[in-house]
Amino acid sequence: MKLKIFSGQISIKLARKIAAELGQKLGKKEYRKFSDGEIWVRYKEDIRGKDAFIIQSFPPPAENFLELLLMIDAAKRARAKKVVAVVPYFGYARQDKQEQDGVPISAELAVNLIMAAGADRILTTDFHSGKIIRAFNSIIKNISAKDIFLKNLKSYSENFFKNLAVLAPDSGRLKMAESYAQQLKNCQIAVIDKYRPAANRVKIKGIDGKVKNRKVLIIDDIIDTGNTLVAVANTVKKEGAKEIYAFVTHGLFSGKAINKINKSPISKLFISDTIPLSYEKRSIKIKLVSVAPLLAQTIKGINRN
Ligand code: R5P
């Protein structure tokens, strides 16, 4: 089955890489705005009867999300056979608490809106909410950036892996940390006991596991303000960690996140390209790794089925 790769504005760089991995060029489309800012899109290629993969992350502003919905709707109207929303970073996934009254479950709402726009499937990377993934498991294909991150350690010497502890910054990321630890031999697991007095604020109560005299590898899905990562790094440093590394899939880096990371005891932060990293946000401590090969491989599989 023929497949076509298209991209929304924010994901063009990553989408080009994905298309190249698949031996294609990015599909042509027009993108314009009305004078008041309203978005207008149009495919400039015939996609009738083909599988259209639309690549668009949607960190704020919400225009990124709306653009994805418009592209899905346009692809459906152009009679694409299958429309797959490829969302490397799925925004609004942090609001998923069913136990609270009077708040939205934006993670569920966003999935429903994408499907209502006409998508047949959603492909995403390290989706924040396990609950939502379980609830929509026939619709959402969620892949982990783990293999891409771990490949980066191949150049490190045997010595690097001695006395290594993989650390989850909260119980929500424990499963993610465990799956990394399984692939790293002789490695300990530790988990931080933290709570949030308010959104984006972090208080650490303690660590469950040993980090003293060890190299610590922190695993998380998102960096927003950087408060979690830096508070966790400071805590393990105080507890005697020798060197601190971090693998984080999605880098939002809002506010002074980069400054905080630069001043922190973290030696190296590996971040993926699900969200473009602007020039001002580059840092000697940050190593950017691409999820393009991973997404391309999964797109191939979805297309074959
Ligand atoms: C929290 O549950 C997430 O996994 C991240 O730890 C969190 O979103 C990071 O946010 P911030 O950088 O603002 O602390």
Side-chain angles (χ1 to χ4, degrees):
M1 171 60 57
K2 288 216 164 141
L3 72 94
K4 273 276 159 201
I5 306 286
F6 292 94
S7 178
Q9 295 303 104
I10 192 172
S11 294
I12 285 181
K13 206 170 163 193
L14 172 59
R16 276 204 190 109
K17 285 190 185 165
I18 294 172
E21 291 275 340
L22 294 164
Q24 313 203 341
K25 282 210 168 127
L26 204 52
K28 290 197 185 105
K29 62 141 221 259
E30 257 179 284
Y31 168 92
R32 284 197 222 144
K33 278 189 171 174
F34 288 73
S35 159
D36 66 345
E38 186 174 320
I39 297 166
W40 180 90
V41 291
R42 177 197 215 157
Y43 292 102
K44 288 175 77 182
E45 300 196 21
D46 183 15
I47 52 175
R48 183 188 283 246
K50 295 178 185 151
D51 284 359
F53 289 82
I54 302 167
I55 306 186
Q56 174 80 336
S57 286
F58 56 89
E63 265 72 15
N64 289 323
F65 184 55
L66 207 52
E67 188 188 344
L68 172 67
L69 299 183
L70 295 176
M71 288 186 73
I72 295 169
D73 184 64
K76 210 71 198 170
R77 289 173 195 283
R79 310 252 176 93
K81 180 157 188 281
K82 199 186 317 173
V83 179
V84 181
V86 182
V87 188
Y89 170 66
F90 199 107
Y92 280 83
R94 286 177 285 183
Q95 299 178 58
D96 67 342
K97 308 270 178 309
Q98 283 156 7
E99 352 12 270
Q100 289 173 13
D101 286 333
V103 295
I105 303 179
S106 63
E108 183 180 320
L109 176 65
V111 174
N112 284 331
L113 289 171
I114 292 172
M115 299 314 287
D120 297 288
R121 286 208 81 180
I122 299 172
L123 166 60
T124 190
T125 324
D126 288 325
F127 190 95
H128 179 75
S129 169
K131 264 186 243 170
I132 299 293
I133 290 295
R134 286 190 290 280
F136 289 97
N137 73 350
S138 59
I139 294 169
I140 306 177
K141 171 110 183 124
N142 179 39
I143 57 171
S144 161
K146 179 180 68 185
D147 290 347
I148 294 285
F149 281 132
L150 289 178
K151 247 189 198 164
N152 277 272
L153 296 185
K154 285 216 167 119
S155 56
Y156 284 61
S157 70
E158 281 277 305
N159 217 19
F160 177 84
F161 299 94
K162 279 186 193 146
N163 287 326
L164 186 66
V166 172
L167 181 90
D170 56 39
S171 56
R173 295 308 115 198
L174 187 55
K175 268 207 175 123
M176 195 176 179
E178 277 169 353
S179 77
Y180 276 78
Q182 264 166 19
Q183 267 172 263
L184 295 162
K185 283 175 229 142
N186 305 323
C187 139
Q188 295 282 317
I189 291 210
V191 57
I192 293 278
D193 185 8
K194 84 159 199 227
Y195 71 98
R196 288 195 181 277
N200 290 125
R201 305 277 302 275
V202 188
K203 283 263 182 273
I204 292 183
K205 292 199 274 187
I207 309 178
D208 188 3
K210 290 191 184 105
V211 293
K212 196 169 175 165
N213 291 327
R214 289 177 189 274
K215 283 179 204 112
V216 173
L217 180 56
I218 304 168
I219 310 289
D220 208 350
D221 61 334
I222 301 172
I223 294 177
D224 183 354
T225 59
N227 287 345
T228 303
L229 185 65
V230 171
V232 167
N234 287 337
T235 306
V236 293
K237 183 80 198 168
K238 233 193 255 164
E239 293 293 319
K242 270 209 304 215
E243 274 173 62
I244 304 164
Y245 297 83
F247 283 166
V248 185
T249 313
H250 313 293
L252 290 160
F253 297 117
S254 67
K256 297 199 166 124
I258 296 288
N259 273 345
K260 291 179 210 166
I261 289 159
N262 282 340
K263 287 188 201 149
S264 76
I266 296 165
S267 303
K268 199 70 141 189
L269 161 64
F270 295 82
I271 193 102
S272 91
D273 57 353
T274 56
I275 301 171
L277 189 68
S278 62
Y279 187 72
E280 315 80 68
K281 289 181 179 170
R282 301 278 159 126
S283 151
I284 195 151
K285 289 200 175 188
I286 294 182
K287 170 136 171 60
L288 195 62
V289 301
S290 184
V291 289
L294 210 60
L295 285 171
Q297 203 187 336
T298 315
I299 286 173
K300 241 190 229 168
I302 294 176
N303 176 248
R304 259 192 230 124
N305 291 334

